[in-house]
């Protein structure tokens, strides 16, 4: 049942004991973009662009954090899933839950161990449709692959075993068969780099002998010929690949080894020896020819995880809307939390300066501030509660996000369908750079389940509230209140702060412009020729759903297009 309550309504408040709540601690900062998530530990990032959104995947350190009871050291052994985030503005990130790799690879039996360090790519197969491939380190002994028809799944394991192991031609000897880095070249051919570890008995600090690169068959799930050695000086781990102006760019993390052999490397040019545990890169036209690779030097010196420790790193260079961004991980969030836990990492992003024509990456410094928003967030579109720039005191309804009977994904990793934010007194979320326009907003709707009170605050989470929404529903329902357009005008940072809660699950929100007169219709003279329905996160549905909210796009005979939210039934049905 849809509910519409106004500010003067106190029905829910009568059932709640409302007190001034101290907002949960902010471990990130209002204006800092790093890390991308303030409540999920994750590492080893990879990314791809799809339909105007950037999707970022990483190792689910948080699974180990929870397995450890939020203490102790990260030994990676309990990590059997990957995390997925997406953005279109680079500061507000939607958490899409986790990919349960252990469940997907259950048919492997004893061959499956863990899931670390993903690398992802896509390709067009026909009629503009894409297929997605995600490669992951199965602990340090092999590499697996997953396949999907969308960037958030559902994913499946196309093989009944790892894709690459020690028996794969050209791989042995390789200490660690892990950290895959995939790229599809301009001809549509896939390539995969991988490997790492301490030097082979026949190797040296300068030439450990553990890096490999291979061509992929059209299936993208097996090698096309043998893997070959990739001559990466002081390689330790973290292989990734990019294509720039038709050339291959290979990036990797160096070891802690002494650099005494540096002067014996003829390909060093004028480059100094790389610092311990730094990020370096190489370039070639012919990746399977070891002698063709040109060493280009260090592009990220060891940052000591922002000044504390000598942790290694894992980066991914990603182009998005004509700019390059470097994704990486650090222990910044862990340090700010100061829980006593150690080794739990968080993904960050900074803008990179890249010359594609020269395949050059300017040396850069990692920052807490990170990147600036590349566009404003639209408050008049339905927004998921899992979309945020920062948060405090929240958890997710089900971190592994698995539902026994989901109709969209066998994994249940669709944010709009299965994932909500658990709110308790003092918890809050922040969305940055929200543009209410010159007319301002007149109404606010929250979609939630449970009983509680959510206050809207602007600028700071401790500011006075400018709108209050009292919630009470045993099922997911929409509650609407009127707001002051003179307050909700222009570009703001918006906080949703919970001041009272009883099993409160926050799912989505949407403002309505103050001058909105209802859903726009096509002119009488123009008939509708096409109706399309999308999930709230923008995925096209083959048929209208039986119930729930959808985004409806109507196209008229003369080309006029309208997009609005439609209620198939007057309730949120899960």
């Amino acid at each position: 049942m849809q509910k519409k309550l106004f500010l003067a309504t106190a029905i829910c408040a009568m059932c709640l004991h409302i007190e001034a709540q101290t907002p949960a601690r902010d471990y990130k900062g209002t204006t800092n973009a790093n890390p991308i998530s303030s409540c999920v530990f994750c590492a080893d990032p990879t990314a791809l662009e799809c339909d105007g959104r950037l999707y970022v995947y990483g190792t689910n350190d948080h699974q180990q954090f929870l397995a450890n009871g939020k203490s102790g050291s990260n030994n990676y052994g309990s990590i059997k899933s990957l995390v997925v985030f997406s953005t279109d503005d680079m500061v507000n990130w939607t958490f899409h839950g986790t990919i349960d790799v252990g469940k997907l690879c259950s048919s492997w039996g004893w061959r499956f161990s863990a899931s670390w360090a993903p690398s992802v790519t896509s390709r067009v197969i026909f009629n503009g449709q894409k297929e997605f491939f995600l490669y992951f380190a199965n602990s340090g002994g092999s590499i697996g692959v997953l396949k999907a028809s969308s960037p958030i799944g559902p994913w499946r394991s196309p093989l009944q075993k790892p894709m690459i192991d020690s028996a794969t031609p050209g791989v042995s000897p390789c200490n660690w068969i892990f950290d895959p880095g995939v790229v599809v070249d301009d001809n549509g051919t896939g390539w995969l780099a991988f490997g790492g570890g301490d030097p082979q008995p026949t190797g040296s600090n300068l030439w450990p002998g553990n890096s490999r690169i291979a061509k992929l068959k059209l299936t993208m799930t097996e090698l096309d010929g043998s893997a070959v050695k990739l001559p990466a000086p002081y390689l330790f781990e973290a292989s990734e690949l990019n294509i720039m102006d038709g050339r291959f760019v290979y990036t990797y993390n160096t070891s802690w080894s002494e650099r005494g052999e540096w002067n014996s490397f003829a390909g060093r040019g004028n480059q100094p020896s790389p610092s311990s545990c730094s990020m370096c890169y190489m370039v070639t036209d012919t990746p399977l020819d070891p002698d063709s690779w040109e060493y280009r030097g260090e592009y990220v010196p060891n940052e000591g995880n922002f000044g504390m420790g000598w942790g290694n790193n894992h980066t991914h260079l990603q182009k998005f809307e004509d700019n390059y961004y470097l994704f990486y991980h650090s222990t910044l969030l862990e340090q700010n939390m100061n829980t006593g836990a150690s080794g739990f990492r968080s993904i960050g992003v900074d803008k990179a300066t890249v010359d594609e024509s020269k395949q050059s990456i300017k040396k850069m410094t990692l920052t807490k501030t990170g990147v600036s928003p590349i566009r404003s967030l639209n408050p008049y579109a339905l927004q998921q509660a899992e979309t945020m720039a920062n948060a405090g005191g929240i958890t997710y309804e089900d971190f592994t996000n698995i539902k026994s009977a989901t109709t969209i994904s066998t994994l249940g990793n669709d944010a709009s369908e299965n994932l909500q934010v658990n709110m308790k007194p003092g918890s809050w979320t922040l969305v940055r750079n929200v543009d209410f326009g010159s007319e301002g907003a007149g109404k606010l709707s929250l979609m939630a389940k449970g009983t509680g009170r959510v206050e809207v605050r602007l600028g700071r989470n401790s500011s006075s509230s400018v709108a209050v929404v009292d919630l009470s529903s045993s099922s997911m329902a929409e509650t609407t209140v009127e707001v002051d357009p003179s307050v909700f005008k222009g570009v703001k940072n918006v906080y949703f702060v919970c001041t009272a809660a009883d099993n409160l699950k926050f799912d989505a929100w949407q403002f309505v412009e103050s001058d909105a007169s209802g859903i726009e219709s096509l002119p009488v003279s123009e008939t509708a020729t096409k109706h399309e329905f999308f999930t709230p996160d923008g995925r096209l549905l083959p048929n209208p759903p039986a119930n729930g909210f959808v985004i409806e796009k109507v196209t008229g005979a003369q080309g006029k297009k309208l997009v609005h939210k439609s209620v198939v039934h007057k309730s949120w049905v899960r």
Side-chain angles (χ1 to χ4, degrees):
M1 180 174 60
Q2 187 183 60
K3 297 183 178 181
K4 294 190 176 181
L5 305 178
F6 297 92
L7 289 176
T9 303
I11 296 176
C12 295
M14 294 172 60
C15 304
L16 295 169
H17 181 53
I18 306 294
E19 296 179 353
Q21 293 291 336
T22 301
R25 184 175 170 184
D26 182 355
Y27 295 110
K28 179 175 175 177
T30 303
T31 60
N32 289 340
N34 288 326
I36 66 171
S37 175
S38 60
C39 50
V40 177
F41 288 118
C42 47
D44 307 319
T46 187
L48 63 78
E49 184 274 334
C50 181
D51 297 332
R53 290 192 71 82
L54 186 63
Y55 292 82
V56 173
Y57 308 75
T59 304
N60 189 3
D61 278 21
H62 211 89
Q63 189 172 25
Q64 186 71 58
F65 183 65
L66 296 178
N68 281 14
K70 302 183 180 181
S71 63
S73 299
N74 187 359
N75 63 13
Y76 317 114
S78 296
I79 301 175
K80 303 180 189 299
S81 60
L82 303 168
V83 296
V84 189
F85 294 86
S86 74
T87 186
D88 68 353
D89 62 17
M90 297 304 297
V91 296
N92 295 298
W93 292 88
T94 301
F95 180 47
H96 293 281
T98 60
I99 303 172
D100 191 345
V101 184
K103 180 179 179 180
L104 287 172
C105 299
S106 59
S107 63
W108 294 15
W110 60 270
R111 295 180 180 87
F112 177 80
S113 178
S115 55
W116 310 333
S119 187
V120 67
T121 193
S122 67
R123 66 177 181 183
V124 177
I125 46 178
F126 60 90
N127 295 332
Q129 292 186 357
K130 293 182 179 180
E131 56 183 3
F132 299 81
F133 296 90
L134 188 151
Y135 304 84
F136 66 93
N138 180 33
S139 189
S142 62
I143 291 169
V145 61
L146 303 178
K147 187 176 179 180
S149 58
S150 90
I152 59 171
W155 295 91
R156 63 182 180 88
S157 175
L159 305 176
Q160 302 301 306
K161 61 180 181 179
M163 174 180 156
I164 299 173
D165 58 22
S166 59
T168 303
V171 172
S172 292
C174 179
N175 282 352
W176 296 342
I177 306 171
F178 78 160
D179 284 10
V182 68
V183 74
V184 174
D185 67 20
D186 296 339
N187 297 317
T189 301
W191 300 83
L192 195 72
F194 57 93
D198 295 327
Q200 292 290 326
T202 57
S204 65
N205 289 338
L206 177 62
W207 304 116
N210 292 314
S211 182
R212 301 288 185 271
I213 189 167
K215 183 180 179 181
L216 300 178
K217 289 185 177 181
L218 186 61
T219 61
M220 299 287 286
T221 60
E222 56 183 325
L223 303 192
D224 186 0
S226 297
V228 301
K229 288 186 178 180
L230 208 165
Y234 298 112
L235 172 126
F236 187 64
E237 60 182 10
S239 295
E240 275 286 355
L241 288 169
N242 284 83
I243 300 289
M244 295 183 190
D245 200 25
R247 305 195 75 197
F248 291 78
V249 178
Y250 170 70
T251 61
Y252 67 99
N253 185 256
T254 66
S255 68
W256 289 267
S257 302
E258 295 292 333
R259 305 302 199 230
E261 303 165 291
W262 182 247
N263 289 337
S264 67
F265 174 32
R268 70 187 185 282
N270 295 323
Q271 297 282 352
S273 61
S275 59
S276 296
C277 213
S278 63
M279 298 302 304
C280 295
Y281 72 113
M282 306 194 304
V283 175
T284 190
D285 290 308
T286 51
L288 297 181
D289 178 5
D291 295 331
S292 70
W293 286 94
E294 176 190 351
Y295 175 78
R296 292 287 185 86
E298 181 180 272
Y299 64 95
V300 179
N302 187 291
E303 296 286 336
N305 284 318
F306 296 105
M308 295 183 66
W310 278 93
N312 57 334
N313 216 314
H314 190 128
T315 70
H316 175 77
L317 197 64
Q318 180 67 38
K319 189 176 183 180
F320 181 56
E321 297 198 358
D322 296 325
N323 288 304
Y324 272 94
Y325 297 92
L326 186 76
F327 289 89
Y328 55 88
H329 63 234
S330 75
T331 56
L332 178 61
L333 182 62
E334 176 193 272
Q335 294 164 28
N336 291 343
M337 286 184 171
N338 194 27
T339 64
S342 63
F344 296 97
R345 303 157 296 175
S346 299
I347 293 174
V349 59
D350 278 281
K351 201 169 183 179
T353 301
V354 173
D355 186 333
E356 289 182 320
S357 65
K358 297 180 179 178
Q359 303 84 49
S360 66
I361 310 170
K362 186 177 180 180
K363 186 176 288 190
M364 58 189 298
T365 299
L366 311 182
T367 70
K368 297 178 182 179
T369 304
V371 298
S372 299
I374 61 174
R375 62 173 50 84
S376 298
L377 185 140
N378 180 10
Y380 305 120
L382 189 68
Q383 300 288 349
Q384 296 301 313
E386 307 87 66
T387 299
M388 61 187 76
N390 196 0
I394 70 162
T395 58
Y396 294 98
E397 180 181 9
D398 180 355
F399 187 81
T400 57
N401 200 17
I402 306 299
K403 242 173 47 164
S404 59
T406 175
T407 58
I408 291 184
S409 167
T410 56
L411 281 179
N413 61 352
D414 300 276
S416 63
E417 178 70 11
N418 298 315
L419 194 62
Q420 297 97 38
V421 177
N422 282 340
M423 304 288 277
K424 60 184 180 181
S427 62
W428 52 270
T429 65
L430 163 68
V431 282
R432 286 177 56 188
N433 208 47
V434 181
D435 189 356
F436 290 97
S438 59
E439 297 298 323
K443 293 181 181 180
L444 165 64
S445 294
L446 294 188
M447 275 57 78
K449 177 182 178 180
T451 302
R453 167 170 285 188
V454 173
E455 298 184 5
V456 181
R457 303 175 185 179
L458 303 178
R460 300 175 60 188
N461 59 13
S462 58
S463 300
S464 299
S465 63
V466 290
V468 177
V469 185
D470 289 315
L471 304 158
S472 182
S473 177
S474 59
S475 61
M476 196 61 67
E478 179 182 18
T479 300
T480 301
V481 299
E482 291 183 335
V483 298
D484 184 351
S486 67
V487 174
F488 290 93
K489 182 180 293 187
V491 179
K492 308 287 186 181
N493 288 336
V494 179
Y495 287 87
F496 296 96
V497 182
C498 178
T499 56
D502 182 6
N503 196 27
L504 183 62
K505 303 181 190 304
F506 180 24
D507 193 46
W509 59 272
Q510 184 175 23
F511 283 87
V512 177
E513 291 180 272
S514 61
D515 63 345
S517 57
I519 296 177
E520 186 181 359
S521 301
L522 288 170
V524 175
S525 60
E526 188 171 354
T527 58
T529 60
K530 188 176 183 181
H531 284 266
E532 294 175 296
F533 297 90
F534 299 81
T535 62
D537 60 350
R539 291 178 298 105
L540 179 66
L541 295 170
N543 298 294
N547 44 48
F549 282 96
V550 294
I551 306 299
E552 182 182 7
K553 180 187 287 186
V554 182
T555 303
Q558 299 177 27
K560 182 176 177 63
K561 293 184 178 181
L562 301 174
V563 180
H564 52 75
K565 182 179 72 172
S566 295
V567 184
V568 180
H569 285 182
K570 295 181 179 180
S571 65
W572 278 75
V573 181
R574 290 301 189 211

